[in-house]
Amino acid sequence: MPNLRELLRVPGGARIDLTSYDTAATPGGPRDKAAGLAATAALGPRLAALQERLYAASTGGDRRRLLLVLQGMDTSGKGGTVKHVIGLFNPSGCRIKAFKAPTREELNHPFLWRVMQALPQPGEIGIFDRSHYEDVLIARVRGLAPPKVLDRRYGQIDRFEQSLVEDGVTVVKVFLHISYDEQRRRLLERLDNPEKHWKFNPGDIEERALWPAYQEAYEIALARCSTEEAPWYLVPADRKWYRNWAISTLLLEHLEEMDPAYPPGDFDVTASRKRLLLDSIADPGGGVPEGCGRR
Amino acid sequence: MPNLRELLRVPGGARIDLTSYDTAATPGGPRDKAAGLAATAALGPRLAALQERLYAASTGGDRRRLLLVLQGMDTSGKGGTVKHVIGLFNPSGCRIKAFKAPTREELNHPFLWRVMQALPQPGEIGIFDRSHYEDVLIARVRGLAPPKVLDRRYGQIDRFEQSLVEDGVTVVKVFLHISYDEQRRRLLERLDNPEKHWKFNPGDIEERALWPAYQEAYEIALARCSTEEAPWYLVPADRKWYRNWAISTLLLEHLEEMDPAYPPGDFDVTASRKRLLLDSIADPGGGVPEGCGRR
């Protein structure tokens, strides 16, 4: 298996040119859609097994957890990723948070406050559908904060994420990169299907008019916040099957590196087995007669 | 399809004798395990489709949501239900809460307080792995509150659930009924597999010694809190395939009765389509040349 992390990692520091990345590419991926769907399905049991080990480890005191941050333009597939990739995991160990426009209470706190409330706990996999990055994306494009405040946020984000990593969080940040034309196709698809009208908002077209400004905001955020501790990954996302495969594979690579272990039992197995084999209901109470088996 | 709700519903008022219910029975279910697994898998897409409609409806102002309450003795399959049944849904619309021993803060509030924090929001499916019923189950068996306080709680629960129903919550309460012998088998299985030791706690054997008291506490809770608005369902749970099929079917029946509808779009579809087809990036900015398609 190729090391997809190396392939998709965004170099920090120097600003990249997003238009130089092919949104329909399939770097490191299976040869075609059929192979991609099969490969992703095959990853499911491996991901679920690692997740169980991660959760089990937390019951033995291991504080580690994983946080997947999903960012991308409207229709880039953040929701689809949750459905198809996170759907491969046991839902009880996933903590999913979709960030919307901040509430009044959230605005009265530092911008990282609401993010702190939604962090995964030890053993969990956290998923952010949008995140604190909105505060340097839409906030920048729409001028929701003074330039000086916006500019400070990149450093605040870097320090925040470094603290998370130090506290045992593996941070996996994924930018879903789609093209302007692909977004048009997907928005038209929503318009053409009345059962998808609820997903459509005419305001999406206004946002779309700001495409270049958003791409610029992403380029800056990726450059300034792709750190050693918490790098950004750029996933070409025009092909949904590739997107799902790539994110599944990124998660697998990180979980395998974490290599969580089942904790050893801290009890006497033989004694417990003996007690179980010998026990019986002292007072049958409601009337469970011994040796009668089930009714 | 039989009406499973009628079949599994616990009559309210009169106390039932749990020992008279066969924990290995498969009322209304497929003939055997293979058929049961196939039937449950076949329910997946139908459940997911209804869930999407429920979520979509909430974006149009429909406040309705569903709350699945799972109760049962240790090893009865609450966690397995979340994994195998809730795993059929889109995880982004599920709000799962596993209730543990109350924290100090939770104890300082009324017992329903922590439950309120975990309720599903409009369009969501909430899942309680244990619930406010612990406050009349372990609390009763272990004498964690004075008898008078305990006794008041049944009425408080009934009124609380009635308010939920009035506010648009469909409450589906499931008691997973296993036998004393089946619990022994499942605990032994955990002991026999080192990868399952983390799920085992010698304290489980102490709890098990209180089996008759727990069964009695369940009998009382089922009788007093199986109301017209929020009935209890008794699911025989010795057979995991039946348990998963039965709960999936109960959820299906409730979601079908709710019959959520996609909200109509409140925008001009033709105008939006036209704008989308004609739009182009005014300022290519980073360099998206028109008509050049993807790179």
Side-chain angles (χ1 to χ4, degrees):
Chain A
M1 194 169 69
N3 185 331
L4 198 63
R5 284 192 293 181
E6 290 313 312
L7 219 51
L8 300 183
R9 182 180 182 141
V10 177
R15 185 167 152 192
I16 62 169
D17 175 3
L18 279 179
T19 65
S20 72
Y21 286 81
D22 181 354
T23 55
T26 60
R31 88 181 57 184
D32 59 18
K33 183 174 173 177
L37 293 177
T40 305
L43 291 174
R46 295 172 64 187
L47 289 169
L50 281 159
Q51 179 198 19
E52 186 180 280
R53 274 167 50 192
L54 183 68
Y55 187 81
S58 77
T59 66
D62 189 335
R63 283 183 58 80
R64 290 181 301 164
R65 51 242 197 249
L66 189 147
L67 174 63
L68 174 67
V69 173
L70 296 171
Q71 285 285 164
M73 301 294 288
D74 279 342
T75 77
S76 63
K78 301 179 290 293
T81 300
V82 173
K83 182 172 175 178
H84 296 288
V85 178
I86 302 309
L88 300 170
F89 291 93
N90 182 334
S92 71
C94 298
R95 189 177 292 260
I96 302 169
K97 173 71 182 181
F99 290 95
K100 315 278 184 191
T103 64
R104 191 169 175 149
E105 186 188 21
E106 288 169 349
L107 288 171
N108 281 335
H109 285 285
F111 76 100
L112 292 171
W113 178 79
R114 64 176 184 161
V115 173
M116 297 284 279
Q117 322 294 312
L119 289 173
Q121 294 180 11
E124 292 183 340
I125 294 178
I127 299 95
F128 285 177
D129 175 347
R130 302 187 188 274
S131 66
H132 43 298
Y133 281 94
E134 292 298 325
D135 293 286
V136 291
L137 294 167
I138 189 171
R140 182 186 176 94
V141 171
R142 293 281 185 184
L144 303 180
K148 236 173 131 173
V149 170
L150 283 170
D151 208 58
R152 264 201 311 252
R153 286 183 180 165
Y154 300 101
Q156 291 170 336
I157 289 175
D158 286 346
R159 293 193 296 276
F160 167 65
E161 292 177 354
Q162 192 183 335
S163 294
L164 292 183
V165 172
E166 287 168 358
D167 197 43
V169 183
T170 295
V171 181
V172 183
K173 301 184 293 191
V174 172
F175 170 57
L176 300 173
H177 189 30
I178 58 165
S179 71
Y180 186 74
D181 285 341
E182 179 65 18
Q183 189 188 57
R184 187 204 321 271
R185 265 190 293 277
R186 293 184 183 182
L187 288 173
L188 284 171
E189 227 176 85
R190 290 182 181 178
L191 284 177
D192 290 342
N193 182 350
E195 297 199 341
K196 289 192 173 179
H197 282 182
W198 65 279
K199 291 189 179 185
F200 188 87
N201 183 331
D204 297 345
I205 304 182
E206 320 293 343
E207 286 298 288
R208 177 170 163 76
L210 299 169
W211 186 274
Y214 270 107
Q215 299 294 301
E216 190 189 15
Y218 269 111
E219 288 175 356
I220 297 169
L222 294 176
R224 295 191 60 172
C225 301
S226 194
T227 58
E228 191 63 43
E229 297 85 3
W232 270 102
Y233 299 101
L234 187 154
V235 172
D238 278 3
R239 300 179 198 269
K240 295 175 183 176
W241 65 263
Y242 174 77
R243 174 201 76 204
N244 291 339
W245 174 83
I247 299 176
S248 301
T249 301
L250 283 173
L251 291 174
L252 184 75
E253 288 181 4
H254 282 91
L255 286 166
E256 282 185 338
E257 190 184 71
M258 293 169 82
D259 194 24
Y262 285 108
D266 58 350
F267 56 91
D268 184 334
V269 176
T270 315
S272 288
R273 186 182 284 113
K274 202 164 166 183
R275 281 185 65 191
L276 267 173
L277 287 169
L278 292 178
D279 76 357
S280 64
I281 299 176
D283 163 26
V288 179
E290 265 200 59
C292 169
R294 302 189 211 104
R295 270 143 314 283
Chain B
M1 195 169 69
N3 186 333
L4 198 62
R5 284 192 291 181
E6 291 313 313
L7 219 51
L8 300 183
R9 183 179 182 140
V10 177
R15 184 166 152 192
I16 61 170
D17 174 3
L18 279 179
T19 65
S20 72
Y21 286 82
D22 181 354
T23 55
T26 60
R31 88 182 59 182
D32 58 18
K33 182 174 174 179
L37 294 176
T40 305
L43 291 174
R46 295 171 65 188
L47 289 169
L50 281 159
Q51 178 198 19
E52 185 179 280
R53 274 167 51 192
L54 182 67
Y55 187 83
S58 77
T59 67
D62 189 334
R63 282 184 58 81
R64 290 181 301 165
R65 53 241 195 250
L66 188 146
L67 173 63
L68 174 67
V69 174
L70 296 171
Q71 286 285 165
M73 300 294 287
D74 280 341
T75 77
S76 63
K78 301 180 291 294
T81 300
V82 173
K83 182 172 175 178
H84 296 287
V85 178
I86 302 309
L88 300 170
F89 291 94
N90 182 335
S92 70
C94 297
R95 190 176 292 260
I96 303 168
K97 173 73 182 176
F99 289 95
K100 314 280 183 189
T103 64
R104 190 168 176 152
E105 185 186 22
E106 288 168 352
L107 287 171
N108 281 335
H109 285 284
F111 76 101
L112 292 171
W113 178 79
R114 64 176 185 162
V115 172
M116 297 283 279
Q117 320 296 311
L119 288 173
Q121 294 180 12
E124 291 183 341
I125 294 178
I127 300 95
F128 285 176
D129 174 347
R130 303 187 185 274
S131 68
H132 44 297
Y133 281 93
E134 292 298 326
D135 294 287
V136 290
L137 293 167
I138 188 172
R140 183 186 174 94
V141 171
R142 292 280 184 184
L144 303 180
K148 237 174 131 172
V149 170
L150 283 170
D151 209 58
R152 265 201 309 254
R153 286 183 181 165
Y154 300 101
Q156 290 170 337
I157 289 175
D158 285 346
R159 293 193 296 277
F160 168 65
E161 292 177 355
Q162 191 184 334
S163 293
L164 292 183
V165 172
E166 287 167 359
D167 197 42
V169 182
T170 295
V171 181
V172 183
K173 301 183 293 190
V174 172
F175 169 57
L176 300 172
H177 190 29
I178 58 167
S179 71
Y180 186 74
D181 285 340
E182 179 65 16
Q183 188 189 58
R184 186 203 321 270
R185 265 189 293 278
R186 293 184 183 183
L187 288 173
L188 285 171
E189 226 175 85
R190 290 182 182 177
L191 285 177
D192 289 341
N193 182 351
E195 296 199 342
K196 289 192 173 176
H197 282 182
W198 64 280
K199 291 188 178 183
F200 187 86
N201 184 331
D204 296 346
I205 303 181
E206 320 294 342
E207 286 298 287
R208 178 169 162 76
L210 300 169
W211 187 274
Y214 270 106
Q215 298 294 302
E216 189 189 19
Y218 269 110
E219 288 176 355
I220 297 168
L222 295 175
R224 296 190 60 172
C225 300
S226 194
T227 58
E228 191 63 44
E229 297 86 1
W232 270 103
Y233 300 101
L234 187 155
V235 172
D238 278 2
R239 300 180 199 267
K240 295 175 183 176
W241 65 263
Y242 175 77
R243 172 200 78 203
N244 291 338
W245 174 84
I247 299 176
S248 301
T249 301
L250 282 173
L251 291 174
L252 185 75
E253 288 181 5
H254 281 90
L255 285 166
E256 282 185 338
E257 189 184 71
M258 292 169 83
D259 193 23
Y262 285 107
D266 58 351
F267 56 91
D268 184 334
V269 176
T270 314
S272 288
R273 187 183 282 115
K274 202 164 167 184
R275 280 183 66 191
L276 266 174
L277 287 169
L278 293 178
D279 76 358
S280 63
I281 300 176
D283 162 24
V288 180
E290 265 201 57
C292 168
R294 300 191 214 101
R295 271 142 315 284

